[in-house]
Amino acid sequence: MDLPIDHLRTLAAVVHQGSLEGAAKQLHITPSAVSQRIRGLEERVGSVLLRRTRPVSVTEAGAAVLRAARQVEQVVSDLASELEQGSTGGSLIPVVVNADSLATWFVPALARAARETGARFEVIRADETISTEKLQNGEAMAALTATREAVPGCTSSPIGVDRYYAVATPEFAVEYFASGLSAATLAAAPQLEFDRHDMFQQRFIKRITRARVDPPRHFVPSSAEFVMAIELGMGWGMVPRLQCAESLASGRLVEIMPGSHIDLPLYWQRWNLRSPVLDALSEVIADEARHAFLSPVKQE
C-alpha cells in the first residue's frame, strides 16, 4: 500500500487542528488541497478515515492510519536529529497520564526526560483505565495505564504499584464512623470522587461491605483539590500514598479502616517503534517509577 508522506502528514494535521481549515493554515496550503489529500488517502486505503464533525474525529480505519502517520513523523524527526538537520525538539510527543501520577511523580520524570532528550511533550490527562483508547486512536505515543495487555502496535511494561488509602479527617471519622465501617455508616457518610470514571471508593466499599451502597457524593476533578476537599472535611476518599503520607503522619488525615488499601498496578505502554526519543523517555519513566512506587508490578 502506497501512502504518500505528505498525505499522512495532512491527516495528522487535520486531527491535531480539529478541522480541514486549521490543517490548511498549519501546512500553508489551501483547504481544497487538504480535502484532496484526505480524499486521496481514503481512496488508497479503501475506507473513510475522518468523520466531518466539529472537531473532526477518526473512524476505526482512520485511527490505524493516524497512528501510522504519527509514527512516520517520529521516524523522520529522529532521522533529522541523527543527521543533524534538526533536533528532537522538532517533534511533539503526546503522552497519556492519569491525574494522580501527574500530581505526584510524573512531572519531575517528564522534566528529566525533556532535559535529557531535548524533546517536547504534550500531556493528555486521562483515567488510567481508559488511557489505552488514546493509544488505539493514534492520539498518543505512550501512556501510563492500568491495562496490562498491550494495545496493537505497542509494547507494555510493568512500571509499579500505586497504593491507595481510604482517608478522612479525624473529626469526620469520629462523626460518621465512630461505630465502625458498615453498609449503613458508609451509606450516610459523604464521599469524594474524582469524576464519573472514578471507581476506587466503590471498590473499597464493596470490599468492606459486599453490598451495593449509594452514599452522597462530591465530584472534584483535580488531584490536589481532591485531597484539599478531604482535609476540609467534605468527605472521605481514596488517596494514593504519595499524596497522603505526610498528612497521615501529621494527623491531619486518618485511615478510616487501618490496614485496608487498594493497590493499582500500572503499566507503561508505548509504540513498538525504534525511536531514540521514545526509548530514552521510557528509560526515564521506569527509573523514576522505581523510586516513587512501593514495588514493581509482579509478572504472572
Side-chain angles (χ1 to χ4, degrees):
M1 184 182 295
D2 181 20
L3 302 178
I5 290 180
D6 61 339
H7 285 40
L8 292 172
R9 183 180 294 115
T10 301
L11 176 66
V14 170
V15 175
H16 179 71
Q17 295 293 336
S19 68
L20 273 65
E21 293 77 11
K25 292 179 180 179
Q26 176 183 322
L27 299 173
H28 304 292
I29 59 177
T30 65
S32 176
V34 170
S35 181
Q36 289 174 11
R37 289 182 183 182
I38 297 299
R39 190 179 306 113
L41 199 57
E42 290 177 330
E43 289 174 355
R44 290 170 184 268
V45 173
S47 298
V48 174
L49 303 179
L50 289 177
R51 300 185 186 94
R52 267 60 170 185
T53 53
R54 288 195 175 272
V56 297
S57 59
V58 291
T59 62
E60 184 176 352
V65 177
L66 176 62
R67 190 164 58 246
R70 287 182 167 162
Q71 289 177 352
V72 168
E73 285 184 337
Q74 188 57 43
V75 169
V76 171
S77 176
D78 290 340
L79 177 61
S81 177
E82 185 175 345
L83 297 177
E84 297 184 352
Q85 295 178 3
S87 68
T88 55
S91 64
L92 186 66
I93 311 297
V95 180
V96 183
V97 187
N98 63 311
D100 290 337
S101 294
L102 197 59
T104 51
W105 68 278
F106 197 86
V107 171
L110 206 61
R112 174 183 162 189
R115 290 193 302 270
E116 294 183 6
T117 67
R120 296 177 298 125
F121 299 101
E122 177 182 1
V123 175
I124 303 170
R125 193 186 73 182
D127 184 87
E128 64 281 345
T129 60
I130 62 172
S131 55
T132 52
E133 295 177 7
K134 305 294 184 181
L135 287 171
Q136 290 172 331
N137 64 22
E139 288 184 55
M141 297 183 187
L144 196 63
T145 175
T147 304
R148 177 181 178 180
E149 183 179 357
V151 170
C154 296
T155 63
S156 178
S157 304
I159 204 73
V161 177
D162 209 354
R163 177 161 291 177
Y164 283 71
Y165 296 98
V167 298
T169 63
E171 296 79 10
F172 185 96
V174 168
E175 180 178 355
Y176 288 98
F177 303 126
S179 60
L181 266 66
S182 65
T185 58
L186 285 165
Q191 75 179 36
L192 270 292
E193 292 185 3
F194 187 85
D195 56 24
R196 306 279 175 180
H197 297 291
D198 183 3
M199 299 303 295
F200 272 105
Q201 287 70 218
Q202 286 300 313
R203 285 175 60 188
F204 178 82
I205 289 173
K206 187 174 181 180
R207 176 182 294 181
I208 299 301
T209 68
R210 305 294 179 185
R212 182 175 180 82
V213 177
D214 187 23
R217 294 176 173 86
H218 300 288
F219 295 91
V220 182
S222 171
S223 288
E225 283 71 20
F226 184 92
V227 178
M228 182 188 298
I230 294 174
E231 292 189 346
L232 291 173
M234 286 180 64
W236 70 274
M238 303 298 296
V239 178
R241 179 184 62 87
L242 291 174
Q243 281 184 282
C244 68
E246 182 180 340
S247 295
L248 287 172
S250 68
R252 294 197 306 274
L253 294 177
V254 296
E255 291 184 67
I256 62 174
M257 189 168 186
S260 183
H261 54 261
I262 291 179
D263 284 343
L264 176 68
L266 292 173
Y267 300 86
W268 178 249
Q269 294 210 33
R270 51 158 289 188
W271 286 352
N272 189 12
L273 176 72
R274 295 190 64 180
S275 164
V277 174
L278 280 178
D279 292 346
L281 171 63
S282 298
E283 290 176 5
V284 169
I285 296 302
D287 184 54
E288 293 292 327
R290 279 192 291 270
H291 294 89
F293 293 131
L294 293 172
S295 63
V297 177
K298 293 182 180 179
Q299 294 278 30
E300 298 179 0

